[in-house]
C-alpha cells in the first residue's frame, strides 16, 4: 500500500511540489510562493543611444601634435670664494682665519679670478607651457610670454620624448612665438580653423600642460568673441569656459574637427586658478603672425602715429555729432605719418580705405594689419564735416609708437564754474589750471592743477574770458557738453564737461 506521502501517490506529488516551491522561495528570499507561480528577476537600468557623446576621437587624433614646452635661461655663476657666497667682509679676513680656511678647504673654493673664469654658466628654469606642431618638419607655436627670457627650449612630446628646439621668432604684441625642432622625423601636426565661422556655444577641447602635469584635456564651449582684456592694442580674444590653468599657455583649443580655433593665452582668475573664464588668440590672428615669423622671424606692421581715445557720449554731444563710432585723435606723434599728412587733434577717424571704424582698437588692428609703405585713405570728421586724408603709412619703430589706445587717465582743467580756477599760460598757448574743486565734474574726470587747456570746442583759448565765451557759445547752440583739449607733459587728451554746470 502506498503511503500518502509516497512520490507515487497524489498526496505525495502535491507535497513534493509544495516542498519545491518553499525551496525556491527560500533561495530567492520570497516570503511565500503560491503554487504554480514563476519568479521574475529585475533588470539593471540600461540606456540605449544611437551615438555615445564624447571627445575621445578628437583627442586621439590631435594629442600627438600637442607638446609641453620647457624654458631655461642662462645664469651667471656666483663669485668664487666665500666672499662671493656670503657677501663682503670675508675677503678682509686673514688667509689663515678658520672661517676662510673652512670654506676654501671643505667647500672647494679657490682663490683668484681663474676659478671664476673656469666656472661654467648654469641654466635655470624660467617657465613651462604648452605648444603644438603646425608642420610635419617640426615648426611649433606657443606664447611669447612662455619663451620670453629663455635661452634653452625643450619640447616634451606626447610619448615623453624630449627634443631640443630653437626660437625662430616672436611677437610680443600678439603674444605669439614660433619654435623649430630639428630632428629627422615626421611630426603629427594640426591646422588652423576658419574662426570666422566660430559661433558662441560651439564646443572646444583644450589640450595642454597645466601645472606641468603633461598632456591634459578639458572641454567647454565658446562663451564670447571679440573680447578686449587690455593686454594690448590688438586684443580680439575668444573667450572659452574650458578649464585652463597655468601651464596651458600656448596650447591649442580645438573644434570637433580637430582644427585649432584659438591659442590659450590668458585666464581671468582672482585666485590664480581656473574659474571658467579663459581667453584664446583667434586662429586668424595666429595664422598671419606665424606666417610672417616663419618667413622673416619678425612681424612688420604699418604705423600711423597717433594717440587716440574713444568717442564717448559726452564728447559726441559736445561736438554735435550722432553716435560714438570712430577713434578720436588726441594728438599726432611728432614726425609721424599722420602728422605729415595733416591729421589734427580733434579729428575723429571713422573710416580707413572705406572700412568703417567703430572703436580705437579697431583702428589699431586695421592699421596693424597693413604693410608699411602703403597709402591709406582716412575719412575723418573735422568741425562736423567729413574730410579725406591720404596717409603714407610708415614702419612701426617701437611699441611706444603704435596706433594705440591712450588709456591713461589724463586729467584736465576748466573754469571756476566747472570747479576750476585758471590763469593764462606764460607762453600764451592756453590757460593753466591752478586749482580744482573737490567733488566737481572736473575733479571727477581727473582734471588737476598744472593741466593746460589749449582749446574749447576746437577754438584756441588764451584766457579765462575766451574759455567762458566758447562755453557760452556751446550753450546757446543747445550743446549739453563742451569739449576741452587738455595738454599735460607734451600729451593731449579731450575731456567733455556738462555745459549746465558752467
Amino acid at each position: 500500500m502506498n503511503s500518502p506521502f509516497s512520490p507515487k501517490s497524489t498526496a505525495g506529488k502535491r507535497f513534493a511540489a509544495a516542498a519545491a516551491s518553499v525551496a525556491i522561495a527560500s533561495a530567492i528570499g520570497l516570503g511565500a510562493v503560491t503554487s504554480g507561480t514563476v519568479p521574475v528577476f529585475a533588470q539593471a537600468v540600461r540606456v540605449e543611444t544611437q551615438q555615445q557623446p564624447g571627445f575621445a576621437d578628437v583627442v586621439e587624433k590631435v594629442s600627438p601634435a600637442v607638446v609641453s614646452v620647457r624654458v631655461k635661461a642662462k645664469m651667471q655663476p656666483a663669485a668664487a670664494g666665500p666672499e662671493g657666497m656670503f657677501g663682503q667682509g670675508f675677503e678682509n679676513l686673514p688667509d689663515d682665519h678658520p672661517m676662510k680656511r673652512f670654506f676654501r678647504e671643505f667647500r672647494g673654493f679657490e682663490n683668484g679670478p681663474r676659478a671664476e673664469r673656469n666656472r661654467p654658466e648654469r641654466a635655470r628654469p624660467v617657465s613651462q607651457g604648452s605648444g603644438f606642431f603646425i608642420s610635419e618638419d617640426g615648426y611649433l607655436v606657443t606664447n611669447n610670454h612662455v619663451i620670453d627670457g629663455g635661452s634653452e627650449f625643450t619640447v616634451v612630446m606626447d610619448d615623453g620624448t624630449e627634443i631640443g628646439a630653437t626660437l625662430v621668432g616672436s611677437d610680443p604684441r600678439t603674444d605669439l612665438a614660433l619654435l623649430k625642432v630639428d630632428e629627422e622625423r615626421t611630426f603629427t601636426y594640426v591646422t588652423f580653423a576658419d574662426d570666422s565661422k566660430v559661433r558662441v556655444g560651439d564646443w572646444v577641447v583644450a589640450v595642454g600642460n597645466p601645472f606641468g602635469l603633461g598632456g591634459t584635456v578639458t572641454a567647454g564651449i565658446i562663451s564670447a568673441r571679440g573680447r578686449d582684456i587690455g593686454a594690448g592694442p590688438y586684443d580680439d580674444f575668444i573667450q572659452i569656459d574650458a578649464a585652463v590653468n597655468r601651464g596651458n599657455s600656448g596650447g591649442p583649443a580645438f573644434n570637433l574637427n580637430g582644427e585649432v580655433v584659438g591659442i590659450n593665452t590668458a585666464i581671468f582668475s582672482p585666485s590664480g586658478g581656473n574659474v571658467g573664464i579663459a581667453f584664446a588668440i583667434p586662429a586668424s590672428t595666429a595664422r598671419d603672425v606665424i606666417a610672417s615669423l616663419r618667413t622673416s622671424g619678425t612681424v612688420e606692421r604699418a604705423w600711423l602715429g597717433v594717440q587716440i581715445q574713444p568717442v564717448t557720449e559726452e564728447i559726441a554731444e559736445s561736438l554735435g555729432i550722432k553716435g560714438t563710432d570712430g577713434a578720436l585723435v588726441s594728438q599726432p606723434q611728432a614726425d609721424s605719418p599722420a602728422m605729415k599728412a595733416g591729421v589734427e587733434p580733434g579729428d575723429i577717424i571713422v573710416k580707413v580705405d572705406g572700412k568703417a571704424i567703430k572703436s580705437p582698437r579697431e583702428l589699431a588692428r586695421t592699421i596693424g594689419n597693413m604693410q608699411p609703405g602703403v597709402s591709406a585713405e582716412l575719412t575723418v570728421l573735422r568741425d562736423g564735416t567729413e574730410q579725406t586724408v591720404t596717409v603714407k603709412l610708415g614702419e612701426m619703430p617701437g611699441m611706444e609708437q603704435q596706433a594705440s589706445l591712450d588709456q591713461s587717465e589724463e586729467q584736465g582743467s576748466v573754469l571756476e564754474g566747472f570747479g576750476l580756477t585758471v590763469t593764462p599760460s606764460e607762453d600764451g598757448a592756453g590757460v593753466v589750471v591752478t586749482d580744482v574743486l573737490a567733488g566737481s565734474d572736473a575733479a571727477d574726470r581727473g582734471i588737476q592743477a598744472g593741466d593746460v587747456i589749449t582749446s574749447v570746442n576746437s577754438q584756441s583759448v588764451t584766457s579765462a574770458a575766451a574759455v567762458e565765451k566758447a562755453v557760452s557759445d556751446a550753450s546757446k547752440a543747445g550743446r549739453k557738453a563742451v569739449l576741452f583739449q587738455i595738454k599735460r607733459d607734451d600729451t593731449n587728451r579731450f575731456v567733455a564737461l556738462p555745459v549746465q554746470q558752467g
Side-chain angles (χ1 to χ4, degrees), residues 283-302:
S284 56
T285 300
R287 183 188 295 108
D288 295 340
V289 171
I290 293 304
S292 182
L293 290 177
R294 189 170 179 176
T295 301
S296 62
T298 60
V299 179
E300 291 186 350
R301 291 188 175 89

Side-chain angles (χ1 to χ4, degrees), residues 229-271:
I229 63 174
Y234 308 114
D235 280 15
D236 185 25
F237 292 106
I238 295 173
Q239 180 183 327
I240 64 177
D241 72 344
V244 172
N245 291 284
R246 286 178 296 173
N248 273 114
S249 291
F254 294 102
N255 61 20
L256 297 187
N257 294 325
E259 300 169 321
V260 179
V261 297
I263 301 172
N264 302 317
T265 189
I267 61 173
F268 174 80
S269 176
S271 63

Side-chain angles (χ1 to χ4, degrees), residues 61-389:
K61 296 292 185 182
V62 303
S63 289
V66 182
V67 300
S68 299
V69 179
R70 295 177 183 171
V71 182
K72 292 182 179 181
K74 292 287 187 182
M75 63 178 293
Q76 294 295 331
E83 62 274 10
M85 290 288 292
F86 299 98
Q88 299 296 322
F90 280 90
E91 70 276 11
N92 296 325
L93 294 175
D95 290 339
D96 60 349
H97 192 281
M99 289 295 294
K100 197 168 185 178
R101 187 171 63 251
F102 170 81
F103 284 110
R104 181 170 59 248
E105 295 179 359
F106 293 95
R107 293 299 179 92
F109 291 122
E110 299 177 13
N111 292 324
R114 180 179 178 182
E116 179 68 21
R117 289 196 305 268
N118 294 334
R119 193 179 302 274
E121 291 183 341
R122 294 179 296 165
R124 60 180 175 85
V126 175
S127 65
Q128 60 183 4
S130 306
F132 58 96
F133 286 106
I134 58 167
S135 69
E136 66 177 12
D137 57 346
Y139 283 95
L140 64 102
V141 177
T142 187
N143 280 144
N144 175 74
H145 76 260
V146 171
I147 59 89
D148 189 31
S151 60
E152 295 182 13
F153 311 99
T154 303
V155 171
V156 185
M157 305 290 290
D158 183 53
D159 60 4
T161 305
E162 297 187 6
I163 311 173
T166 56
L167 178 63
V168 178
S170 63
D171 181 41
R173 293 181 176 90
T174 55
D175 196 20
L176 290 169
L178 184 65
L179 298 174
K180 178 67 167 64
V181 173
D182 294 318
E183 185 167 299
E184 293 297 329
R185 59 184 289 188
T186 299
F187 295 94
T188 300
Y189 68 97
V190 291
T191 59
F192 290 110
D194 180 2
D195 62 71
S196 66
K197 298 179 181 179
V198 169
R199 299 181 302 167
V200 173
D202 283 349
W203 280 108
V204 288
V205 179
V207 185
N209 179 37
F211 302 110
L213 294 174
T216 300
V217 180
T218 56
I221 63 170
I222 293 177
S223 304
R225 298 193 58 187
R227 287 298 197 209
D228 177 1
I229 63 174
Y234 308 114
D235 280 15
D236 185 25
F237 292 106
I238 295 173
Q239 180 183 327
I240 64 177
D241 72 344
V244 172
N245 291 284
R246 286 178 296 173
N248 273 114
S249 291
F254 294 102
N255 61 20
L256 297 187
N257 294 325
E259 300 169 321
V260 179
V261 297
I263 301 172
N264 302 317
T265 189
I267 61 173
F268 174 80
S269 176
S271 63
N274 165 61
V275 295
I277 299 178
F279 303 98
I281 302 167
S284 56
T285 300
R287 183 188 295 108
D288 295 340
V289 171
I290 293 304
S292 182
L293 290 177
R294 189 170 179 176
T295 301
S296 62
T298 60
V299 179
E300 291 186 350
R301 291 188 175 89
W303 178 47
L304 179 59
V306 287
Q307 294 178 1
I308 49 181
Q309 65 184 80
V311 181
T312 64
E313 293 183 359
E314 288 181 329
I315 289 176
E317 172 63 31
S318 68
L319 294 174
I321 61 175
K322 294 182 179 180
T324 58
D325 288 352
L328 176 62
V329 178
S330 55
Q331 180 180 347
Q333 295 177 352
D335 297 325
S336 67
M339 175 171 283
K340 293 176 182 177
V343 176
E344 300 178 359
D347 285 348
I348 299 177
I349 301 174
V350 294
K351 293 180 183 178
V352 175
D353 288 339
K355 177 187 176 182
I357 299 298
K358 300 292 185 181
S359 66
R361 292 203 179 272
E362 187 170 358
L363 174 64
R365 287 194 295 268
T366 300
I367 297 296
N369 288 333
M370 303 177 76
Q371 291 297 313
V374 304
S375 293
E377 190 175 86
L378 308 181
T379 302
V380 303
L381 284 176
R382 183 181 297 170
D383 298 329
T385 61
E386 284 193 359
Q387 298 187 27
T388 300
V389 179

